[in-house]
Amino acid sequence: MAWLMDDAIPLPGGYRIGLDGLLGLFPGLGDGAGLITNVVIMLRAGSQRAGWAVMARMVGNVMLEALVGVIPGLGDLFDFYFKSNRRNVALLEAYTAEAEETRETSAWLLIGWLVALIVVFAVLFVAMVWTLGRALALLGGLFSGWFG
């Protein structure tokens, strides 16, 4: 299923695309088909007791593709590139071959992403507070002659 959705159609230059990207050109159709495929892959991983870190990483792959997928044009191109079905199958195969190592790698990767998100949100918060402070100072300077 992942091969059909992500790699079934060869293109010149050795690149391959799948039905997921093509169906994604029709609103809702590709996203729904890709989601169904990923759910089947994740159910398989769950039945093999892949663990929370591997499952969370799979969900993250699907969420990233879905989030970028809502951007017109860019989302369709990203669908052809990112291939969450194939990534999740590769993750399941890695788990099958080296369960503990895949769990540990997935956990550290998730921790890294979480730290990166916290840093980004902290920087955005500081920038917002600084900008608000500057705007209020500017407004205070503009109105100081009116009330003084």
Side-chain angles (χ1 to χ4, degrees):
M1 282 176 60
W3 173 83
L4 180 64
M5 294 303 288
D6 289 340
D7 293 317
I9 304 164
L11 296 177
Y15 194 75
R16 304 181 74 82
I17 61 171
L19 293 180
D20 190 12
L22 292 176
L23 293 174
L25 298 173
F26 302 97
L29 192 59
D31 297 330
L35 181 62
I36 290 169
T37 305
N38 268 307
V39 166
V40 169
I41 295 166
M42 286 187 278
L43 287 172
R44 183 81 173 266
S47 72
Q48 293 184 14
R49 309 255 188 253
W52 70 270
V54 175
M55 296 299 289
R57 201 166 151 195
M58 288 182 168
V59 169
N61 286 337
V62 175
M63 287 176 56
L64 179 61
E65 188 169 354
L67 285 173
V68 177
V70 300
I71 303 169
L74 179 64
D76 297 322
L77 292 175
F78 188 75
D79 229 5
F80 286 118
Y81 166 76
F82 188 70
K83 303 180 181 193
S84 66
N85 297 298
R86 186 177 67 184
R87 287 173 187 268
N88 285 345
V89 165
L91 191 53
L92 180 57
E93 289 172 347
Y95 171 76
T96 303
E98 296 286 333
E100 194 56 40
E101 182 180 330
T102 304
R103 280 187 187 145
E104 187 175 320
T105 301
S106 295
W108 281 112
L109 184 68
L110 290 170
I111 290 168
W113 275 106
L114 183 61
V115 168
L117 280 173
I118 290 170
V119 168
V120 166
F121 281 117
V123 168
L124 289 174
F125 180 75
V126 168
M128 182 182 69
V129 169
W130 180 83
T131 303
L132 184 60
R134 297 295 299 157
L136 290 174
L138 179 62
L139 287 173
L142 288 174
F143 294 114
S144 64
W146 293 11
F147 302 108

